[in-house]
Amino acid sequence: MKAFNFALSTFAAACLLTSVANAQSAQTFVSGTGNDANTCSRTAPCKTFAGAILKTNAGGDIICLDPAGYGQVTITKAISILCDGNLGGIAVSASSAINVSAASTDVVVLSGFDIDGLGAGFQGVLFNSGRSEEHTSELQSHSFISYAVFCLKK
């Protein structure tokens, strides 16, 4: 009986740790001094948008704590990336900086970005799919060979 109780408690602990490890937050944070292995909390921020988006619930917010380069990102769910007052920098070459490929019901909000195409980037923001209410504000985009914001949606 002791062996069964031990096995059962070990299994329960493993399930709890797995659910904690896969937990997502409604609000995550990025910082130029962060690390994508962090939880993306305010006190332990991630370094990139790509790292933070994995730890943010659909419909949640990613907040920039300081002006920094946060890297290219693909958005596949409803989310807000808010860098107001702390420009979120993205520099890309031969690609798009922000690629939105979300569901038709997903609203995406992008605010406070400085996006640099380095003279060879295709688009600053490429809207492939998502709800027709995508919002962009405070978007600085330069040095792209195509468009700052390009919508492929029909």
Side-chain angles (χ1 to χ4, degrees), residues 4-18:
F4 176 75
N5 285 340
F6 176 75
L8 186 59
S9 62
T10 302
F11 175 74
C15 288
L16 178 63
L17 289 175
T18 300

Side-chain angles (χ1 to χ4, degrees), residues 99-126:
N99 185 342
V100 180
S101 295
S104 62
T105 56
D106 291 342
V107 175
V108 175
V109 177
L110 306 171
S111 183
F113 285 90
D114 180 17
I115 304 172
D116 189 349
L118 303 172
F122 297 138
Q123 295 92 17
V125 180
L126 175 62

Side-chain angles (χ1 to χ4, degrees), residues 8 18 42 53 59 80 87 98 104 132 140 150:
L8 186 59
T18 300
R42 185 164 182 76
I53 203 165
S80 297
L87 282 181
I98 301 172
S104 62
S132 60
Q140 300 174 24
F150 186 71

Side-chain angles (χ1 to χ4, degrees), residues 9-29:
S9 62
T10 302
F11 175 74
C15 288
L16 178 63
L17 289 175
T18 300
S19 66
V20 169
N22 293 327
Q24 291 186 324
S25 298
Q27 191 173 60
T28 57
F29 298 86

